Amino acid sequence: MIPDKAPGEDVYQATCDLRKEAHVPSFEKYKELYLKSVENPEEFWGDVAKDFFWKSKHTGQFLDYNFDVTKGKVYIKCMEGAITNICYNVLDRNVHDKKMGDKVAFFWEGNEPGDELKVTYRELLKQVCKMANVLKSLGVKKGDRISIYMPMVVELVVAMLACARIGAVHSIVFAGFSAESLCERILDSQCSLLITADGFYRGDKLINLKMIADDALEKCTEKNFSVQKCIMLKHLSKDGSLLPEGSQSPPAKRACSDLQVPWNPEVDLCWHTLMEEASDECEPEWCQSEDPLFILYTSGSTGKPKGVLHTVSGYMLYTASTFKYVFDHQPDDVYWCTADIGWITGHSYITYGPLANGATSVLFEGLPTYPDVSRMWEIVDKYQVTKFYTAPTAIRLLMKYGSGPVQKFTRRSLKVLGTVGEPINPEAWLWYYNVVGEKRCPVVDTFWQTETGGHVLTPLPAATPMKPGSAAFPFFGVVPAILNESGEELEGPNEGYLVFKQPWPGVMRTVYGNHERFETTYFKKFPGYYVTGDGCRRDKDGYLWITGRIDDMLNVSGHLLSTAEVESALVEHEAVAEAAVVSHPHPVKGESLYCFITLKDGFDYTISLEAQLKKQVREKIGAIATPDYMQNAPGLPKTRSGKIMRRVLRKIARNERDLGDVSTLADCTVIEQLFQNRCNTA
Ligand code: WT7
């Protein structure tokens, strides 16, 4: 397990001394708190809970659970019986009890430099109350599902917190997803209402979001489900003003008056008109601890996305405490997480975790490369960012341009650097540490998943000596283990399946509408454990190293995709008989998609067909799933029972001739043909 003493060799210790004021100032202190958190969770989390408002206290044990499918239904309950409201806790409590109404909650920085806005806790609370009243006036009730499909604007936070305030369940869909993906998610959770925006810019590219949203709603209707109302925010249109009253700057400079916004008077409602009339006071709906808070879809190995469900109290305590400890949050920090709120990172570490701590954050709409590759560091200096959180793919992208663009800005304010989304290669880690942080700032490599709600393996910035590429040790309350194929726990230096032995407050509760799938995906393979789907190595010092997915999932730029969902998008084309997708290493994205296509008789494999297929995948799933490589595969390597041997395809994609054991292959001749048709991936 965790060593008694931190190793003194082969580790990095940042020069900036956070220790004087840090929440966890030493490895010994980490170990002490960790032991308390697993030996006496009741007391540990009870202390965390003291910082929140509870309408009534919990009655049963702090965590009640069954992780063992062989003993019955898997369940996790945290603080059962307690009554609270997460929106009240992250806003009202800060404004009223902690007297932080004038503190900035968000510095919004638009895609276009100069486009900016600041929102205090008081203003945010007012806007959220208004929106909550709007939703109520439209008949939204506790437990109803609301789909949100918006760009990175403050109103996205307003919409999600308004749902939380009235006990409605938000289901945010990343604005880069296609109409088809949005439709599928709306249908799965039967959302009665959609909140979207007219459009937005991503760098130079204009996205007509409303058009895509309408397309999705039409597809829903075709499938006999109608979303009753669609609220549209005018983000780009000229008369669309961001939050009225108070500290205003102009709305989107790049205002685009010729944006074609389709409008359906029977369904569509204007955000601004609704907000104008709504009251800015709204009594929160008091919720049970285990009431659902939100659904967020993540790829599943069968191809159909899973609606990961999180509930109120556990998620609140967990995001609040991970944010506090992992970024060592201090009151005067300016924190910036570059993720999109459409992913779990944004849910936990732009909205809920930071606001629960009364933090001031930067909310950035744009890209790291627009208008140039210095943008990130320009923003760091502009807002004097102290804690910065991004993805390895962004680091690798910027690394390609060298240290010049970084050094145009001082970055002197930075104290902690974080990464998330995929394993970080030591080269990128070292560049981040040496060039961006100038050896001053500890790097926290945070391993977690949509399912875990918050960080589960991570260094703590003032306590854990760092090893580049290692997510180090478990967060409080988390008990990891490494299992071999037969399910035995491996001790000491070893490699195998990463699992968790007991729940922590923020772990997901179910797959929305499909509890059986929840049990099958995470609990069937090794009864008694939560199975992450990741491989993991433990070194001689007890440090944990994530080795990547060990199921049929791919991680493209920190976003999970399943090979099955891409394959099913491909075979929907009339020319395609069969498709097999494997991962191929990519210098910036981490992994990219390499697709093998078997055509039906009578079709020719042409460049234009390839273009059509790529377009089809983009339209079905979204731009993140666009294949990088595609090749003609008149035959695929299969076992005698007909299973595609992806292991062999991965080798072919990489042009590695050593295929290992292919004795189960039904027909060996396909291999040579596939090597001949290989794409040039150099
Ligand atoms: C998968 C979860 C957690 C928010 C973003 C992704 C991979 C995530 C790390 C890390 C190595 C990582 C894992 C995990 N992953 N963080 N620090 N080191 N791998 O959320 O889409 O649910 O993906 O991302 O493979 O299982 P997600």
Side-chain angles (χ1 to χ4, degrees):
M1 277 306 288
I2 302 163
D4 287 329
K5 246 179 85 190
E9 282 168 25
D10 305 329
V11 291
Y12 287 75
Q13 297 265 16
T15 56
C16 151
D17 198 4
L18 299 171
R19 269 170 290 196
K20 283 186 281 306
E21 53 172 15
H23 298 298
V24 185
S26 66
F27 194 77
E28 290 67 33
K29 184 74 189 166
Y30 157 67
K31 178 123 192 180
E32 180 193 318
L33 283 169
Y34 178 78
L35 288 179
K36 177 175 167 187
S37 75
V38 294
E39 282 163 9
N40 195 346
E42 191 86 36
E43 192 185 320
F44 181 88
W45 295 109
D47 285 346
V48 175
K50 278 187 196 137
D51 204 26
F52 293 88
F53 175 81
W54 307 92
K55 191 98 184 159
S56 64
K57 298 246 177 300
H58 69 284
T59 43
Q61 53 197 123
F62 184 83
L63 271 166
D64 176 15
Y65 71 100
N66 172 39
F67 258 24
D68 189 343
V69 268
T70 63
K71 295 194 178 133
K73 192 175 153 179
V74 174
Y75 69 89
I76 303 109
K77 290 177 188 166
C78 180
M79 297 186 83
E80 243 210 326
I83 292 177
T84 189
N85 180 286
I86 192 169
C87 175
Y88 182 89
N89 272 292
V90 306
L91 294 181
D92 308 52
R93 192 183 46 110
N94 286 328
V95 174
H96 299 128
D97 306 348
K98 303 204 167 176
K99 307 283 175 244
M100 294 199 300
D102 294 325
K103 190 171 180 187
V104 172
F106 290 108
F107 287 113
W108 180 75
E109 170 83 10
N111 177 67
E112 202 59 29
D115 229 358
E116 62 193 34
L117 184 79
K118 70 178 180 221
V119 187
T120 63
Y121 273 86
R122 182 173 298 106
E123 286 159 353
L124 189 60
L125 172 60
K126 278 191 183 176
Q127 296 303 315
V128 167
C129 286
K130 273 173 170 275
M131 194 65 214
N133 285 323
V134 165
L135 295 176
K136 283 209 283 193
S137 73
L138 294 171
V140 177
K141 285 193 260 325
K142 187 172 173 188
D144 289 353
R145 277 82 52 218
I146 307 294
S147 178
I148 303 178
Y149 185 59
M150 290 174 92
M152 283 286 283
V153 290
V154 174
E155 288 86 345
L156 168 52
V157 178
V158 170
M160 69 198 290
L161 291 178
C163 290
R165 192 166 192 88
I166 62 170
V169 182
H170 57 74
S171 166
I172 302 182
V173 179
F174 170 57
F177 273 124
S178 66
E180 187 110 359
S181 296
L182 174 59
C183 163
E184 185 178 21
R185 285 159 177 75
I186 290 175
L187 289 177
D188 186 75
S189 43
Q190 307 266 296
C191 295
S192 55
L193 198 125
L194 172 67
I195 308 179
T196 188
D198 48 0
F200 64 101
Y201 278 98
R202 248 184 93 70
D204 266 329
K205 204 172 154 212
L206 174 65
I207 316 281
N208 191 326
L209 201 65
K210 179 61 164 51
M211 213 130 89
I212 308 172
D214 277 9
D215 197 6
L217 293 188
E218 213 166 285
K219 287 182 199 299
C220 289
T221 315
E222 281 163 21
K223 300 200 165 132
N224 293 321
F225 180 81
S226 53
V227 171
Q228 283 143 23
K229 292 285 171 209
C230 172
I231 301 178
M232 189 197 81
L233 170 84
K234 290 180 181 170
H235 174 48
L236 291 186
S237 327
K238 280 251 160 51
D239 57 339
S241 72
L242 285 147
L243 312 161
E245 300 169 46
S247 58
Q248 286 313 304
S249 9
K253 261 194 189 161
R254 275 290 278 276
C256 169
S257 45
D258 54 357
L259 180 72
Q260 295 293 315
V261 182
W263 194 260
N264 174 359
E266 273 161 38
V267 179
D268 294 341
L269 296 164
C270 169
W271 172 290
H272 312 273
T273 319
L274 296 168
M275 290 289 269
E276 248 166 54
E277 290 153 14
S279 151
D280 61 10
E281 279 175 33
C282 174
E283 171 72 10
E285 176 78 38
W286 297 104
C287 298
Q288 295 284 335
S289 280
E290 286 301 329
D291 278 345
L293 173 63
F294 68 83
I295 299 166
L296 181 61
Y297 287 86
T298 184
S299 291
S301 54
T302 60
K304 188 175 149 43
K306 304 182 285 260
V308 171
L309 185 98
H310 285 285
T311 54
V312 176
S313 298
Y315 180 81
M316 175 168 83
L317 297 186
Y318 202 67
T319 51
S321 56
T322 44
F323 179 79
K324 171 178 166 182
Y325 289 115
V326 175
F327 298 108
D328 189 43
H329 178 67
Q330 302 293 338
D332 53 356
D333 272 336
V334 177
Y335 161 83
W336 179 21
C337 166
T338 68
D340 193 289
I341 292 177
W343 307 105
I344 191 69
T345 307
H347 280 60
S348 302
Y349 300 113
I350 295 181
T351 302
Y352 292 108
L355 294 178
N357 282 273
T360 294
S361 300
V362 174
L363 178 66
F364 178 46
E365 185 191 21
L367 299 174
T369 48
Y370 180 84
D372 59 55
V373 295
S374 286
R375 184 76 189 272
M376 303 275 239
W377 323 120
E378 187 179 350
I379 296 174
V380 166
D381 277 9
K382 177 174 174 184
Y383 296 103
Q384 294 291 294
V385 171
T386 52
K387 314 280 163 83
F388 178 69
Y389 194 28
T390 197
T393 184
I395 299 166
R396 288 191 298 261
L397 174 71
L398 296 176
M399 201 170 120
K400 285 202 309 193
Y401 301 94
S403 52
V406 185
Q407 285 158 355
K408 272 173 73 182
F409 295 91
T410 76
R411 290 153 285 112
R412 221 170 278 139
S413 53
L414 289 175
K415 289 184 179 165
V416 175
L417 301 173
T419 115
V420 58
E422 55 184 309
I424 182 164
N425 46 314
E427 198 193 350
W429 192 99
L430 288 167
W431 188 82
Y432 198 29
Y433 179 74
N434 290 323
V435 179
V436 176
E438 294 174 336
K439 302 184 167 65
R440 256 189 358 262
C441 311
V443 173
V444 287
D445 177 355
T446 61
F447 167 85
W448 59 297
Q449 310 175 298
T450 306
E451 295 87 335
T452 67
H455 309 138
V456 282
L457 302 181
T458 178
L460 295 183
T464 318
M466 299 163 286
K467 296 197 182 192
S470 166
F473 302 110
F475 186 74
F476 304 133
V478 174
V479 185
I482 297 179
L483 304 186
N484 65 13
E485 192 59 53
S486 10
E488 289 150 356
E489 284 187 29
L490 304 172
E491 306 290 334
N494 245 310
E495 188 169 335
Y497 293 88
L498 176 67
V499 299
F500 295 111
K501 296 168 72 160
Q502 62 186 53
W504 53 96
V507 68
M508 74 184 287
R509 302 300 198 256
T510 190
V511 169
Y512 184 80
N514 196 345
H515 196 70
E516 198 186 321
R517 188 167 180 206
F518 172 62
E519 293 182 338
T520 316
T521 312
Y522 307 100
F523 296 95
K524 280 261 161 75
K525 189 172 172 73
F526 300 118
Y529 301 95
Y530 166 90
V531 181
T532 59
D534 285 290
C536 183
R537 178 169 69 82
R538 191 191 292 111
D539 71 14
K540 63 176 188 356
D541 298 319
Y543 278 65
L544 299 171
W545 302 71
I546 303 296
T547 55
R549 299 294 306 189
I550 38 186
D551 46 16
D552 287 331
M553 305 290 267
L554 292 114
N555 193 323
V556 179
S557 302
H559 304 310
L560 279 193
L561 289 168
S562 74
T563 53
E565 71 182 317
V566 181
E567 286 161 6
S568 75
L570 288 166
V571 295
E572 277 181 40
H573 193 282
E574 54 162 9
V576 178
E578 196 166 28
V581 176
V582 297
S583 139
H584 190 271
H586 187 281
V588 173
K589 298 196 271 191
E591 294 178 34
S592 60
L593 299 165
Y594 192 117
C595 311
F596 294 86
I597 310 286
T598 309
L599 296 181
K600 289 183 189 155
D601 276 349
F603 288 92
D604 287 329
Y605 194 91
T606 60
I607 296 180
S608 102
L609 175 69
E610 243 185 37
Q612 278 173 38
L613 290 174
K614 286 186 184 175
K615 184 160 167 269
Q616 174 148 321
V617 176
R618 239 191 342 263
E619 282 172 6
K620 296 265 168 207
I621 306 173
I624 46 163
T626 310
D628 274 40
Y629 307 107
M630 210 174 256
Q631 82 164 71
N632 185 11
L636 288 168
K638 290 185 181 169
T639 60
R640 268 171 266 273
S641 60
K643 245 184 123 168
I644 298 175
M645 295 175 77
R646 287 166 208 286
R647 175 176 66 78
V648 171
L649 290 175
R650 265 193 293 274
K651 296 256 180 172
I652 295 171
R654 289 168 203 211
N655 206 11
E656 289 169 13
R657 290 273 167 174
D658 169 24
L659 296 181
D661 179 13
V662 286
S663 56
T664 55
L665 202 60
D667 172 11
C668 286
T669 61
V670 298
I671 302 286
E672 196 41 45
Q673 201 176 28
L674 289 174
F675 269 114
Q676 274 165 21
N677 290 343
R678 245 192 100 252
C679 296
N680 182 5
T681 54

